[in-house]
Amino acid sequence: MSDEAPAPTVVEEGITEIAPGVWVIPDRRVPLVPNVGIVVGEEAVLVVDTAMGPANGARVLAAAKEKAQGKRLLVTVTHFHPEHGFGAQVFRDEATIVYNRAQLDELHDKGAGYVELFKTFGPAVAEALEGVELVDPHETYEDETELDLGGRTVQLRTWGVAHTRSDQVVFLPAERILFTGDLVEERIFAIYPHFPPNDADVDGDRWIEVLRRLEALDPAIVVPGHGAVADVGVITTAREYHELLRAETLRLAAEGRDADEAVAELEPRILARYPDWEQPEWIGFGIRSFHARRGA
Ligand SMILES: [Zn+2]
């Protein structure tokens, strides 16, 4: 990322009501800004992702308080990555923070390392992370749980390793609204955090299977981790991209190409096929992940 990259700042004035009582602060397609969800029930309000660093977290908290009007606040995070969860500290005394157990374990294992990694992404990112503290949730759950917000039920679900070890989706079954975190992006190449030897947990095979499960939920509205709010087609499009990347990488590997050769050969073809997708740097990480995992 160059030093000219836009600051990873949440702009809460852009908040949009995507369904009655369901709000999204859009990412404006700025890298390292997530789509943030605020789900309003009769008794409680759930925040989905805090954005990165205490200043962004404070902006999200202010927006949530405005929607809550004194109702109880809950916060969850789709996965442990900094731009999704590293604003949680400002919620510690204001809200009940809920994570799945595997996500908390992953935060403990990798969180501090990711702060250091992200600080190398340029001054704007380092500034956003100034003063960051990694905080534990007040509550954890295993596998899945339901939150009753009063007149509105929200499911927190995980299928284990995919983009991270413990990606969690947030699903409103009555409204069929799905918050995917980084399991799905809209018109942005899938983010493969394949950073061996520090982190090579991303698993494209399992990710594809998780995307099939998300498609089977048949959501009417999909809020991706990054990019525009969409319908279930955005999940299918994402799955087909992963499947193409896998098939082509395995074919080239079977023909004897090493990872560098596979990237050199495949990347231009992928770019040509998805000319309006952003963050092309992730194509190579995806190819390298499938290449490293072949036969695993
Ligand atoms: Zn992520």
Side-chain angles (χ1 to χ4, degrees):
M1 186 173 298
S2 77
D3 290 357
E4 293 84 47
T9 303
V10 171
V11 177
E12 67 273 33
E13 290 81 1
I15 193 165
T16 304
E17 193 171 30
I18 61 167
V22 182
W23 300 82
V24 170
I25 307 176
D27 68 335
R28 301 173 294 122
R29 307 193 80 84
V30 174
L32 300 181
V33 175
N35 286 315
V36 172
I38 298 175
V39 183
V40 180
E42 289 165 11
E43 286 151 24
V45 169
L46 174 67
V47 175
V48 181
D49 285 351
T50 68
M52 183 168 67
N56 280 320
R59 294 184 188 103
V60 173
L61 175 61
K65 280 183 158 176
E66 205 223 304
K67 298 304 174 202
Q69 296 290 312
K71 294 171 189 168
R72 195 162 63 89
L73 280 181
L74 298 155
V75 182
T76 197
V77 166
T78 54
H79 59 300
F80 85 98
H81 280 156
E83 78 272 30
H84 295 269
F86 286 13
Q89 69 202 71
V90 305
F91 291 87
R92 185 169 33 192
D93 300 324
E94 305 272 358
T96 304
I97 306 174
V98 184
Y99 296 168
N100 67 50
R101 164 52 63 177
Q103 183 178 138
L104 176 59
D105 292 343
E106 195 169 15
L107 175 66
H108 287 164
D109 288 350
K110 302 179 184 171
Y114 266 79
V115 170
E116 294 314 307
L117 173 69
F118 272 52
K119 281 182 175 173
T120 69
F121 290 173
V125 177
E127 188 183 328
L129 284 166
E130 196 63 45
V132 72
E133 292 173 46
L134 303 184
V135 299
D136 281 3
H138 301 98
E139 295 176 11
T140 57
Y141 69 92
E142 305 284 344
D143 302 327
E144 64 180 77
T145 193
E146 264 188 14
L147 303 175
D148 180 359
L149 304 182
R152 173 164 259 166
T153 299
V154 176
Q155 299 175 344
L156 309 184
R157 306 182 66 167
T158 182
W159 289 278
V161 182
H163 166 74
T164 63
R165 275 189 220 155
S166 49
D167 302 281
Q168 172 197 276
V169 301
V170 177
F171 187 51
L172 282 60
E175 303 86 344
R176 291 173 39 234
I177 299 172
L178 181 67
F179 294 85
T180 66
D182 282 346
L183 290 171
V184 179
E185 323 290 11
E186 185 270 330
R187 233 165 21 82
I188 294 166
F189 288 101
I191 296 170
Y192 273 79
H194 177 69
F195 308 132
N198 297 315
D199 188 355
D201 285 334
V202 56
D203 185 331
D205 291 325
R206 297 212 64 235
W207 195 341
I208 289 165
E209 292 311 308
V210 170
L211 292 175
R212 287 187 194 285
R213 291 176 185 271
L214 299 185
E215 289 173 273
L217 292 174
D218 192 27
I221 299 175
V222 176
V223 182
H226 303 270
V229 175
D231 62 19
V232 67
V234 74
I235 306 176
T236 305
T237 301
R239 175 176 53 75
E240 289 168 349
Y241 165 73
H242 291 272
E243 288 172 339
L244 175 68
L245 206 64
R246 175 172 66 180
E248 291 296 292
T249 301
L250 296 184
R251 182 180 64 76
L252 291 169
E255 291 173 6
R257 312 292 208 292
D258 68 19
D260 288 341
E261 291 165 337
V263 171
E265 198 167 323
L266 191 47
E267 196 176 55
R269 290 200 280 122
I270 297 280
L271 281 168
R273 183 157 178 148
Y274 297 95
D276 62 341
W277 285 25
E278 296 164 4
Q279 302 187 31
E281 63 273 21
W282 293 113
I283 301 169
F285 285 96
I287 295 167
R288 290 177 194 284
S289 175
F290 278 120
H291 201 282
R293 285 182 163 271
R294 71 194 186 288

